[in-house]
Amino acid sequence: MERTEIIMEGRKGEIQLFSDDIKAGKMDISIIGKKLTVYHTEVNPEYEGKGFAKILLERLVSHARENDLKIVPLCPYVHAQFKRHPEEYNDVWFKED
């Protein structure tokens, strides 16, 4: 069973993904004002190919929507997903004018 947790220490933190209580992956994030910046997505090698990065992305986006935040996708994976599916993420995607 997979579950996620958001762990924040001040402005920096992680979205952690657990599979059967074993940490399987994470996203490095920070929140400053109304901007949620995601820097890095990582899934442990033994869990690759199981859609775990997508689970992390879904948790990131739902957290942003629940808290009226805009996501700054510095992470290559998140940025690629935003570019690939802009209609799905436009409401939370922070874009410089």
Side-chain angles (χ1 to χ4, degrees):
M1 179 73 187
E2 285 74 50
R3 67 179 169 83
T4 57
E5 287 183 20
I6 296 178
I7 309 295
M8 297 296 296
E9 294 180 13
R11 295 179 173 171
K12 295 187 180 223
E14 293 182 346
I15 298 175
Q16 300 176 347
L17 174 66
F18 295 87
S19 180
D20 297 324
D21 292 323
I22 298 170
K23 188 173 173 185
K26 68 177 179 110
M27 280 182 160
D28 295 325
I29 63 170
S30 69
I31 299 174
I32 299 174
K34 289 292 184 180
K35 290 183 191 171
L36 190 168
T37 303
V38 56
Y39 301 97
H40 178 70
T41 300
E42 181 178 313
V43 174
N44 296 348
E46 60 270 26
Y47 295 100
E48 289 176 359
K50 297 182 178 188
F52 284 9
K54 181 72 171 170
I55 293 170
L56 284 164
L57 177 61
E58 288 169 359
R59 184 64 181 106
L60 174 79
V61 170
S62 69
H63 183 75
R65 288 181 176 137
E66 290 163 10
N67 294 281
D68 194 30
L69 301 172
K70 293 290 187 180
I71 297 171
V72 180
L74 299 183
C75 165
Y77 169 75
V78 175
H79 190 254
Q81 292 302 313
F82 278 23
K83 284 179 70 174
R84 214 171 276 140
H85 308 284
E87 68 289 341
E88 195 173 334
Y89 302 114
N90 266 337
D91 64 317
V92 293
W93 188 356
F94 178 82
K95 296 179 187 175
E96 303 266 358
D97 292 332

